[in-house]
Structures are given as structure tokens and as C-alpha cells.
Amino acid sequence: MKNFKQLFCTLLVLCFSTCCAIANNTDTLPLDAQAMIASQQGNNTKALYLMNKAIKQTPNSYSYYNNRGVIKESAKDYNGAIADYTTAIKLNPNYATAYNNRGNLYKNLNNGILAAVDLCRYAELQPSYESYTSLGYLILDDAKNYKNAVNYFTKAISFIQPEIDRFNKKVAEGLAFGKKDMSEFEGAYYGRGLSYFFLNDSTKAIQDFNKAISYSSFNPDAYLFRGLAKSSIGNKTGALNDINTAKQQYAQDGNQTGYDKAQSALNMVRR
């Protein structure tokens, strides 16, 4: 019995030591990593303390200022976050992440002009389908600069077309089968179609809405605006079919606002 108690106590000590080691494991990480973990756990006070300490030790680290900006933004200190993102950019004018973070924060604060400037710079530094599509929507929705929006959506599409071409080539060569999921690429075509629609170029708008719908068939907004574009060129039957489809999909999605818009569009086209 004595030996059993000694063994039990030994195991208990080992277990306690292991738990402590796991609990304190983050203490061995760099200060900035500890800070980001603390922020993710909801402890922004500790996170800022650790990040301030890291910056004091390495005052010219642009990534530290960016990370502190992220923490401040999480703590709803938006002015402080912008100041830190700005310092990160001053320390490294080509630091894409800080432009993206500051641009998205400006966007959330409804400052579309400054957001567009930052996100444009981000797209230049990190060109991608996502960066150009995001910028296209910002310019479309906030600046209402439809020609410029078309330009950025076209740049976004230029990133996906090679991927589509490669897949189609593999299918033709018997190296791939089925249909590639293109739903993630619907956004750029829909955005460009909408831009063309507001530029009164219904033919190009319809072409892009066709693409958007082919990539994502559940697409009530694309059906609605394709219907309106068809109506504008005298295709009343096609317009009614599309707008009815939009109405059904809005209903299926529980989108009352969209449903009402589709109904209003139907009434307008039927006149």
C-alpha cells in the first residue's frame, strides 16, 4: 500500500508538472506571438502590454506596429490602429499587409476614398483575384466610378482565366474529369456586369451576368439585373423569366427585401 501511495504521488507530481509546462508554453514564444495569442483569447490589455514591450525592444519593426494596430482595432481603438498601420507603412512603404489592414479599416469606417487609395496600393503590391475583386466592389459601391470598377474587375478576371484554361485543357486531354467548381469566381463577373449595367452597356452586362450565373446558379442578384438589362434592349420575355427566377431564389433564401425588389421590377417590366 505504501509503494502504491508513493507511485500515485509521483504520477500526480509528473501530471502537475506537465500541465504547468503546457500552461506556460506560450511564455517561450516571441513577445509579438504571445501578444497575438492573448488578443485572440480576448485579453487585449495583456496583448497591448506585450506588444508595447516588443516595440520598445525593437522600435523599427514595421510588423510589430502592424500587429499592434490589429490588436488596437480588435479593442475598438480605431484611431490608434490607423496610427500604428501608418507607422508600419512609413517604416516599410512596400508592406502590403498594413495597406490592406488600414484600407479595410477605412472601409469599415465608411471612408471610401482613403480605403480605395490603400486597397489600390495593396493590389499593386499583392496582385490577386481577391485583391482586385475587393477593390472593384469598393469603387463600384462607394465611389460609383463604374469605368474604373470595370478595369479592376477585368484585372481580377485575368487571374482566373489561365486557371480555367488549364483545367479545360486537361479535360480535353483526358487528364481531368467532371466540372471545375467555379463558384468562387462568380464575384468578379457579377461585379463587372453590374458596372456595365450602370454604364448602360446592357450587352456586355448580360454577357458577364451569364458567366456569373454559369459559375453560381443560385444567384438572385445576377438574375434580377440580367432581367433588367434584357428589358432595356427589348427582350421582355427573357426579362420576365430572369426576374421571376430572382424572385423565387430570394424567397428561397428568405430575403424579403430582394423579393420586394424583384416584384417591383416585374411590375415595371409588365407595363
PDB file of all heavy atoms in Angstrom, residues 92-107:
ATOM      1  N   ASN A  92       8.131  50.745 -43.695  1.00  0.00           N
ATOM      2  CA  ASN A  92       8.292  49.909 -44.893  1.00  0.00           C
ATOM      3  C   ASN A  92       7.182  50.271 -45.883  1.00  0.00           C
ATOM      4  O   ASN A  92       6.084  49.722 -45.824  1.00  0.00           O
ATOM      5  CB  ASN A  92       8.217  48.424 -44.539  1.00  0.00           C
ATOM      6  CG  ASN A  92       8.452  47.530 -45.751  1.00  0.00           C
ATOM      7  OD1 ASN A  92       8.587  48.008 -46.873  1.00  0.00           O
ATOM      8  ND2 ASN A  92       8.478  46.226 -45.527  1.00  0.00           N
ATOM      9  N   PRO A  93       7.458  51.191 -46.811  1.00  0.00           N
ATOM     10  CA  PRO A  93       6.438  51.648 -47.757  1.00  0.00           C
ATOM     11  C   PRO A  93       5.894  50.550 -48.677  1.00  0.00           C
ATOM     12  O   PRO A  93       4.896  50.776 -49.360  1.00  0.00           O
ATOM     13  CB  PRO A  93       7.184  52.723 -48.579  1.00  0.00           C
ATOM     14  CG  PRO A  93       8.294  53.169 -47.692  1.00  0.00           C
ATOM     15  CD  PRO A  93       8.715  51.947 -46.940  1.00  0.00           C
ATOM     16  N   ASN A  94       6.547  49.391 -48.694  1.00  0.00           N
ATOM     17  CA  ASN A  94       6.080  48.284 -49.534  1.00  0.00           C
ATOM     18  C   ASN A  94       5.455  47.150 -48.719  1.00  0.00           C
ATOM     19  O   ASN A  94       5.355  46.019 -49.203  1.00  0.00           O
ATOM     20  CB  ASN A  94       7.240  47.732 -50.371  1.00  0.00           C
ATOM     21  CG  ASN A  94       7.738  48.733 -51.391  1.00  0.00           C
ATOM     22  OD1 ASN A  94       6.948  49.437 -52.016  1.00  0.00           O
ATOM     23  ND2 ASN A  94       9.045  48.816 -51.565  1.00  0.00           N
ATOM     24  N   TYR A  95       5.047  47.466 -47.504  1.00  0.00           N
ATOM     25  CA  TYR A  95       4.469  46.446 -46.620  1.00  0.00           C
ATOM     26  C   TYR A  95       2.977  46.302 -46.932  1.00  0.00           C
ATOM     27  O   TYR A  95       2.138  47.051 -46.423  1.00  0.00           O
ATOM     28  CB  TYR A  95       4.694  46.833 -45.165  1.00  0.00           C
ATOM     29  CG  TYR A  95       4.300  45.779 -44.160  1.00  0.00           C
ATOM     30  CD1 TYR A  95       4.516  44.423 -44.398  1.00  0.00           C
ATOM     31  CD2 TYR A  95       3.722  46.143 -42.951  1.00  0.00           C
ATOM     32  CE1 TYR A  95       4.164  43.468 -43.469  1.00  0.00           C
ATOM     33  CE2 TYR A  95       3.364  45.195 -42.012  1.00  0.00           C
ATOM     34  CZ  TYR A  95       3.587  43.859 -42.275  1.00  0.00           C
ATOM     35  OH  TYR A  95       3.233  42.919 -41.339  1.00  0.00           O
ATOM     36  N   ALA A  96       2.641  45.336 -47.765  1.00  0.00           N
ATOM     37  CA  ALA A  96       1.283  45.181 -48.293  1.00  0.00           C
ATOM     38  C   ALA A  96       0.254  44.954 -47.187  1.00  0.00           C
ATOM     39  O   ALA A  96      -0.865  45.485 -47.254  1.00  0.00           O
ATOM     40  CB  ALA A  96       1.248  44.027 -49.287  1.00  0.00           C
ATOM     41  N   THR A  97       0.591  44.164 -46.195  1.00  0.00           N
ATOM     42  CA  THR A  97      -0.372  43.812 -45.146  1.00  0.00           C
ATOM     43  C   THR A  97      -0.923  45.034 -44.437  1.00  0.00           C
ATOM     44  O   THR A  97      -2.121  45.119 -44.145  1.00  0.00           O
ATOM     45  CB  THR A  97       0.276  42.864 -44.129  1.00  0.00           C
ATOM     46  OG1 THR A  97       0.748  41.696 -44.801  1.00  0.00           O
ATOM     47  CG2 THR A  97      -0.707  42.460 -43.048  1.00  0.00           C
ATOM     48  N   ALA A  98      -0.051  46.009 -44.159  1.00  0.00           N
ATOM     49  CA  ALA A  98      -0.505  47.211 -43.448  1.00  0.00           C
ATOM     50  C   ALA A  98      -1.447  48.036 -44.316  1.00  0.00           C
ATOM     51  O   ALA A  98      -2.420  48.619 -43.816  1.00  0.00           O
ATOM     52  CB  ALA A  98       0.696  48.050 -43.020  1.00  0.00           C
ATOM     53  N   TYR A  99      -1.179  48.107 -45.631  1.00  0.00           N
ATOM     54  CA  TYR A  99      -2.097  48.811 -46.532  1.00  0.00           C
ATOM     55  C   TYR A  99      -3.459  48.130 -46.533  1.00  0.00           C
ATOM     56  O   TYR A  99      -4.506  48.800 -46.512  1.00  0.00           O
ATOM     57  CB  TYR A  99      -1.542  48.830 -47.953  1.00  0.00           C
ATOM     58  CG  TYR A  99      -0.418  49.803 -48.183  1.00  0.00           C
ATOM     59  CD1 TYR A  99       0.895  49.360 -48.305  1.00  0.00           C
ATOM     60  CD2 TYR A  99      -0.659  51.172 -48.284  1.00  0.00           C
ATOM     61  CE1 TYR A  99       1.936  50.252 -48.516  1.00  0.00           C
ATOM     62  CE2 TYR A  99       0.376  52.065 -48.498  1.00  0.00           C
ATOM     63  CZ  TYR A  99       1.672  51.604 -48.618  1.00  0.00           C
ATOM     64  OH  TYR A  99       2.697  52.484 -48.826  1.00  0.00           O
ATOM     65  N   ASN A 100      -3.457  46.811 -46.565  1.00  0.00           N
ATOM     66  CA  ASN A 100      -4.712  46.057 -46.569  1.00  0.00           C
ATOM     67  C   ASN A 100      -5.485  46.275 -45.274  1.00  0.00           C
ATOM     68  O   ASN A 100      -6.701  46.528 -45.294  1.00  0.00           O
ATOM     69  CB  ASN A 100      -4.417  44.575 -46.768  1.00  0.00           C
ATOM     70  CG  ASN A 100      -5.674  43.753 -46.977  1.00  0.00           C
ATOM     71  OD1 ASN A 100      -6.552  44.129 -47.757  1.00  0.00           O
ATOM     72  ND2 ASN A 100      -5.783  42.633 -46.290  1.00  0.00           N
ATOM     73  N   ASN A 101      -4.776  46.210 -44.149  1.00  0.00           N
ATOM     74  CA  ASN A 101      -5.437  46.389 -42.858  1.00  0.00           C
ATOM     75  C   ASN A 101      -5.996  47.802 -42.703  1.00  0.00           C
ATOM     76  O   ASN A 101      -7.139  47.991 -42.267  1.00  0.00           O
ATOM     77  CB  ASN A 101      -4.455  46.090 -41.723  1.00  0.00           C
ATOM     78  CG  ASN A 101      -4.145  44.618 -41.601  1.00  0.00           C
ATOM     79  OD1 ASN A 101      -4.891  43.769 -42.082  1.00  0.00           O
ATOM     80  ND2 ASN A 101      -3.041  44.284 -40.956  1.00  0.00           N
ATOM     81  N   ARG A 102      -5.177  48.791 -43.069  1.00  0.00           N
ATOM     82  CA  ARG A 102      -5.654  50.182 -42.932  1.00  0.00           C
ATOM     83  C   ARG A 102      -6.784  50.466 -43.910  1.00  0.00           C
ATOM     84  O   ARG A 102      -7.772  51.126 -43.562  1.00  0.00           O
ATOM     85  CB  ARG A 102      -4.487  51.154 -43.144  1.00  0.00           C
ATOM     86  CG  ARG A 102      -4.836  52.597 -42.755  1.00  0.00           C
ATOM     87  CD  ARG A 102      -3.637  53.529 -42.847  1.00  0.00           C
ATOM     88  NE  ARG A 102      -3.208  53.736 -44.232  1.00  0.00           N
ATOM     89  CZ  ARG A 102      -2.224  54.549 -44.605  1.00  0.00           C
ATOM     90  NH1 ARG A 102      -1.560  55.236 -43.673  1.00  0.00           N
ATOM     91  NH2 ARG A 102      -1.884  54.682 -45.870  1.00  0.00           N
ATOM     92  N   GLY A 103      -6.659  49.936 -45.128  1.00  0.00           N
ATOM     93  CA  GLY A 103      -7.705  50.142 -46.129  1.00  0.00           C
ATOM     94  C   GLY A 103      -9.038  49.550 -45.709  1.00  0.00           C
ATOM     95  O   GLY A 103     -10.093  50.178 -45.859  1.00  0.00           O
ATOM     96  N   ASN A 104      -9.008  48.335 -45.184  1.00  0.00           N
ATOM     97  CA  ASN A 104     -10.250  47.699 -44.741  1.00  0.00           C
ATOM     98  C   ASN A 104     -10.840  48.404 -43.526  1.00  0.00           C
ATOM     99  O   ASN A 104     -12.073  48.467 -43.384  1.00  0.00           O
ATOM    100  CB  ASN A 104     -10.009  46.224 -44.445  1.00  0.00           C
ATOM    101  CG  ASN A 104      -9.976  45.388 -45.714  1.00  0.00           C
ATOM    102  OD1 ASN A 104     -10.877  45.453 -46.537  1.00  0.00           O
ATOM    103  ND2 ASN A 104      -8.926  44.606 -45.895  1.00  0.00           N
ATOM    104  N   LEU A 105      -9.967  48.948 -42.665  1.00  0.00           N
ATOM    105  CA  LEU A 105     -10.481  49.698 -41.521  1.00  0.00           C
ATOM    106  C   LEU A 105     -11.137  50.993 -41.999  1.00  0.00           C
ATOM    107  O   LEU A 105     -12.226  51.351 -41.530  1.00  0.00           O
ATOM    108  CB  LEU A 105      -9.349  49.999 -40.537  1.00  0.00           C
ATOM    109  CG  LEU A 105      -9.739  50.815 -39.287  1.00  0.00           C
ATOM    110  CD1 LEU A 105     -10.937  50.201 -38.569  1.00  0.00           C
ATOM    111  CD2 LEU A 105      -8.551  50.934 -38.333  1.00  0.00           C
ATOM    112  N   TYR A 106     -10.489  51.693 -42.936  1.00  0.00           N
ATOM    113  CA  TYR A 106     -11.118  52.888 -43.516  1.00  0.00           C
ATOM    114  C   TYR A 106     -12.474  52.540 -44.138  1.00  0.00           C
ATOM    115  O   TYR A 106     -13.446  53.291 -44.020  1.00  0.00           O
ATOM    116  CB  TYR A 106     -10.218  53.491 -44.589  1.00  0.00           C
ATOM    117  CG  TYR A 106      -9.108  54.378 -44.068  1.00  0.00           C
ATOM    118  CD1 TYR A 106      -7.812  54.288 -44.588  1.00  0.00           C
ATOM    119  CD2 TYR A 106      -9.350  55.334 -43.083  1.00  0.00           C
ATOM    120  CE1 TYR A 106      -6.794  55.109 -44.130  1.00  0.00           C
ATOM    121  CE2 TYR A 106      -8.337  56.154 -42.610  1.00  0.00           C
ATOM    122  CZ  TYR A 106      -7.061  56.043 -43.145  1.00  0.00           C
ATOM    123  OH  TYR A 106      -6.061  56.862 -42.686  1.00  0.00           O
ATOM    124  N   LYS A 107     -12.528  51.399 -44.822  1.00  0.00           N
ATOM    125  CA  LYS A 107     -13.782  50.961 -45.448  1.00  0.00           C
ATOM    126  C   LYS A 107     -14.858  50.750 -44.396  1.00  0.00           C
ATOM    127  O   LYS A 107     -16.005  51.183 -44.569  1.00  0.00           O
ATOM    128  CB  LYS A 107     -13.538  49.670 -46.230  1.00  0.00           C
ATOM    129  CG  LYS A 107     -14.760  49.147 -46.963  1.00  0.00           C
ATOM    130  CD  LYS A 107     -14.429  47.880 -47.737  1.00  0.00           C
ATOM    131  CE  LYS A 107     -15.646  47.321 -48.441  1.00  0.00           C
ATOM    132  NZ  LYS A 107     -15.327  46.065 -49.178  1.00  0.00           N
TER     133      LYS A 107
END
